[in-house]
Amino acid sequence: MISVAKEIKKNSIIENSLKLFSTKGFYNTTIPDIAKAMKMSVGNMYNYFSSKEELAKYAIKYSTNVLAKELRNVNEMEITSKEKIYLFTRRYLQNVTKSPEVVEYFLRVYLSNREVFNQGCEGFICVGEFVTEVMILLDEGAQNKEFREQDFFPAFAMIMGCLGGFAFLSGEKVLEKELLFYSDAVADNIYRALKYDE
Amino acid sequence: MTNKQKPTIVWFQAITCNGNTHSLLSANSARLELFLNSFDLIYHPSLTVDKTLEDILNQKEKIDYLLVEGAISSNKDIFALKNSTTNDLLNKLALKANYIIAVGSCACYGGIHKKFEEDKTISGIKENINEKILKNLKHEIINLNGCPVHPEWILQTLFTLKAYGKISLDKEKRPIELYSTLAHHGCTRNEYFEWKIEGSFGEKEGCLFYEQGCRGPMTHSSCNKILWNDISSKTRVGMPCIGCTENDFPRNDMLETKKNIGIPQDVPLGISKRAYLSLTGIAKTFKIDRLNKKLME
């Protein structure tokens, strides 16, 4: 059985490695770099993760589960699907502001180094909880006729492409105003793309 | 040919397509023979019998088992037998019966006839039998749902009642022994279901749940355990289960899976949509060669 203390330590390693991976990239970050940031010995690091690849896979699960929890919380609210889109967009962008490394990691490591995730993180395996919550959001919106019928993937990409793209613009520091200023406008675009046609 | 030792059966046909009669006659021949030797089928409108419906209505003797096939209406302009409504005849027969068994979806709930918009009186037998009569029965009304009902389910129910005088029912008043499991149990396509591999109508390969509207994972029935003609079932020949043993049958668009943004609206019984979607997303990422090939090239 994994002890609570060990889990906390593992999460702390992940949080530190997310910062390093997202700034230096997957290949330029080494286990000694992460050990140094953690003030741990390299040998001790291997008590928690057997390889850098394993750490990378844990990191993607960990970071998307943070977002999945946010979205699940929104999904369980008794509000309209339109309101859910607005609220989730705001929380997502707040997350980007608070922990930019999480989205940076997704964009710069997970999407750019697919070979690292080929074994054991295929398809939705490591991001399943988050994708499931997006499915629930879309499914409920369509069921109560707030969203129009369309295939899942275009609808999914509409939400995630839009949010990810905006996080990217923020990371590149090209936005004229602070990130949250755009929240409702981004949510409005997403909602208009999904909304039910009379 | 009446034999006092054998319990009597009257098979009353109301508004029906005869499907359940056809089904009964396609029973395993040895079982049908045993049935005919064990019971006295004193009246069935499609079979050669000594008595007429009028004889039955005029007789003083009780009927042990009244089996009703078809929906009931109290509107004479819509449907009448011997110038009487099916509601009227049903109540006269029910008054004489010890046991009443609704044979098939129409007798249970009105079935497809209930969809006839010009007459709102069409329904199942339970709604049509006088409350007072119900109290005098030896057993509550038994629903043998199905379109049609499996012949073995009729025989098994009758043999159980003959031997024990009672049978355990579920909340839809169907015999638990026959309706506790799902059509999904025993389905030969279950491995395709597990790995989310869709099939096409009439083909041997693939699961029919994702596109073809199969209701196997949410339909209480033993179709894949007690096989039709002892060898087959709808799903075994590539026909989706249409959920004919449930009270919402017939639904609209039964051969397509209702989806919202590509996600099935109904998920298997007993699992939350969140958990189901989570499992589906993962299972779909595996590509199992064996299951993606034709069984016979």
Side-chain angles (χ1 to χ4, degrees):
Chain A
M1 203 173 111
I2 302 167
S3 72
V4 176
K6 190 167 182 181
E7 269 301 288
I8 292 170
K9 192 76 167 175
K10 265 183 127 172
N11 289 345
S12 163
I13 295 171
I14 289 169
E15 281 161 17
N16 274 285
S17 52
L18 277 173
K19 285 181 185 145
L20 290 169
F21 282 143
S22 63
T23 46
K24 297 171 70 167
F26 177 74
Y27 289 106
N28 290 332
T29 305
T30 63
I31 289 279
D33 291 338
I34 301 165
K36 199 176 158 193
M38 287 294 297
K39 296 190 173 61
M40 282 168 70
S41 71
V42 172
N44 194 16
M45 275 287 294
Y46 286 103
N47 286 327
Y48 296 93
F49 296 100
S50 62
S51 66
K52 197 167 78 168
E53 283 73 16
E54 195 199 336
L55 173 56
K57 286 173 202 165
Y58 264 87
I60 193 64
K61 275 189 208 166
Y62 176 86
S63 55
T64 51
N65 283 358
V66 170
L67 288 172
K69 220 177 265 179
E70 285 280 355
L71 185 48
R72 182 171 186 159
N73 178 261
V74 172
N75 273 338
E76 285 171 348
M77 289 181 182
E78 302 250 326
I79 53 176
T80 64
S81 295
K82 182 181 181 180
E83 288 167 323
K84 285 178 185 175
I85 294 277
Y86 277 72
L87 190 55
F88 177 62
T89 301
R90 181 155 294 273
R91 290 195 181 179
Y92 182 91
L93 296 181
Q94 276 167 345
N95 255 302
V96 175
T97 311
K98 195 178 85 193
S99 317
E101 68 278 6
V102 171
V103 178
E104 289 285 321
Y105 178 74
F106 183 84
L107 296 171
R108 291 176 205 279
V109 177
Y110 181 67
L111 293 186
S112 314
N113 301 285
R114 295 298 305 142
E115 66 283 4
V116 177
F117 301 92
N118 273 347
Q119 295 271 311
C121 259
E122 304 94 324
F124 289 158
I125 293 178
C126 292
V127 294
E129 283 192 38
F130 180 73
V131 176
T132 300
E133 291 305 327
V134 178
M135 283 179 163
I136 299 273
L137 177 75
L138 291 169
D139 175 63
E140 288 180 357
Q143 243 184 89
N144 60 27
K145 295 255 185 296
E146 277 196 77
F147 298 157
R148 71 190 157 83
E149 265 311 318
Q150 57 173 310
D151 276 351
F152 168 72
F153 290 109
F156 177 74
M158 180 61 224
I159 298 179
M160 296 325 299
C162 200
L163 293 177
F166 224 78
F168 175 79
L169 293 179
S170 170
E172 293 301 304
K173 302 197 183 349
V174 296
L175 297 177
E176 291 168 358
K177 295 183 175 129
E178 65 160 306
L179 186 59
L180 281 175
F181 171 83
Y182 300 98
S183 180
D184 285 357
V186 174
D188 194 43
N189 278 347
I190 295 172
Y191 174 67
R192 281 165 188 254
L194 299 175
K195 78 172 177 145
Y196 188 76
D197 294 324
E198 286 303 327
Chain B
M1 66 181 271
T2 48
N3 180 339
K4 294 283 180 203
Q5 301 302 309
K6 295 178 191 172
T8 53
I9 294 178
V10 166
W11 183 295
F12 174 58
Q13 281 190 321
I15 308 171
T16 176
C17 70
N18 287 358
N20 295 288
T21 292
H22 279 275
S23 181
L24 176 72
L25 297 177
S26 71
N28 170 296
S29 58
R31 294 280 291 164
L32 189 62
E33 195 177 334
L34 179 66
F35 162 70
L36 292 170
N37 289 332
S38 307
F39 293 88
D40 195 1
L41 183 54
I42 56 173
Y43 177 75
H44 189 304
S46 302
L47 301 178
T48 307
V49 285
D50 298 333
K51 294 187 175 183
T52 62
L53 182 57
E54 200 156 326
D55 293 338
I56 300 293
L57 291 166
N58 291 331
Q59 75 176 31
K60 288 201 174 72
E61 297 87 12
K62 291 281 270 184
I63 302 161
D64 288 306
Y65 302 104
L66 173 63
L67 271 57
V68 182
E69 175 184 19
I72 307 295
S73 167
S74 51
N75 183 347
K76 200 184 274 185
D77 297 334
I78 289 297
F79 195 92
L81 285 170
K82 298 175 71 63
N83 211 27
S84 296
T85 66
T86 46
N87 174 291
D88 188 32
L89 292 170
L90 172 70
N91 275 290
K92 283 179 179 157
L93 291 167
L95 203 55
K96 299 175 188 293
N98 287 326
Y99 292 85
I100 297 179
I101 302 174
V103 180
S105 301
C106 298
C108 294
Y109 301 111
I112 195 158
H113 309 291
K114 203 173 179 174
K115 295 222 153 189
F116 181 56
E117 290 177 356
E118 278 72 17
D119 182 21
K120 290 291 170 204
T121 72
I122 298 177
S123 53
I125 61 173
K126 184 78 193 290
E127 293 95 321
N128 283 277
I129 295 181
N130 190 305
E131 281 290 322
K132 280 184 199 157
I133 298 175
L134 290 177
K135 282 179 192 150
N136 290 326
L137 293 172
K138 288 192 174 170
H139 200 284
E140 56 186 324
I141 292 176
I142 297 160
N143 281 337
L144 292 181
N145 294 28
C147 186
V149 65
H150 193 298
E152 183 58 28
W153 303 350
I154 305 174
L155 304 187
Q156 201 166 312
T157 302
L158 285 167
F159 279 115
T160 304
L161 290 173
K162 182 172 183 264
Y164 302 104
K166 59 183 180 185
I167 193 164
S168 299
L169 304 179
D170 67 11
K171 66 178 173 48
E172 294 288 339
K173 308 301 177 195
R174 303 169 294 195
I176 289 178
E177 188 71 28
L178 299 164
Y179 293 86
S180 57
T181 55
L182 303 175
H184 191 55
H185 295 141
C187 178
T188 48
R189 296 165 188 269
N190 278 356
E191 205 175 2
Y192 295 101
F193 174 81
E194 285 166 32
W195 301 107
K196 318 298 166 201
I197 298 166
E198 175 58 23
S200 302
F201 194 97
E203 291 193 352
K204 290 179 187 298
E205 304 84 4
C207 175
L208 306 167
F209 174 71
Y210 303 102
E211 300 291 339
Q212 313 286 324
C214 184
R215 303 285 291 180
M218 53 273 268
T219 298
H220 293 91
S221 137
S222 42
C223 284
N224 270 313
K225 293 173 76 185
I226 301 172
L227 298 174
W228 291 76
N229 298 320
D230 297 333
I231 55 161
S232 199
S233 71
K234 280 196 182 70
T235 60
R236 288 183 189 213
V237 295
M239 160 84 187
C241 165
I242 49 175
C244 71
T245 54
E246 296 295 342
N247 63 15
D248 61 351
F249 175 83
R251 292 164 296 103
N252 293 329
D253 304 322
M254 288 191 291
L255 299 183
E256 12 177 298
T257 303
K258 170 75 184 109
K259 287 188 263 189
N260 299 310
I261 311 201
I263 300 159
Q265 180 162 299
D266 299 324
V267 297
L269 280 184
I271 183 167
S272 75
K273 192 169 242 186
R274 181 170 274 113
Y276 175 76
L277 292 177
S278 183
L279 273 176
T280 310
I282 292 169
K284 270 188 181 167
T285 62
F286 294 95
K287 288 276 170 289
I288 300 164
D289 281 350
R290 180 171 53 84
L291 297 176
N292 281 287
K293 279 184 189 160
K294 281 266 177 204
L295 289 169
M296 289 179 271
E297 295 295 345

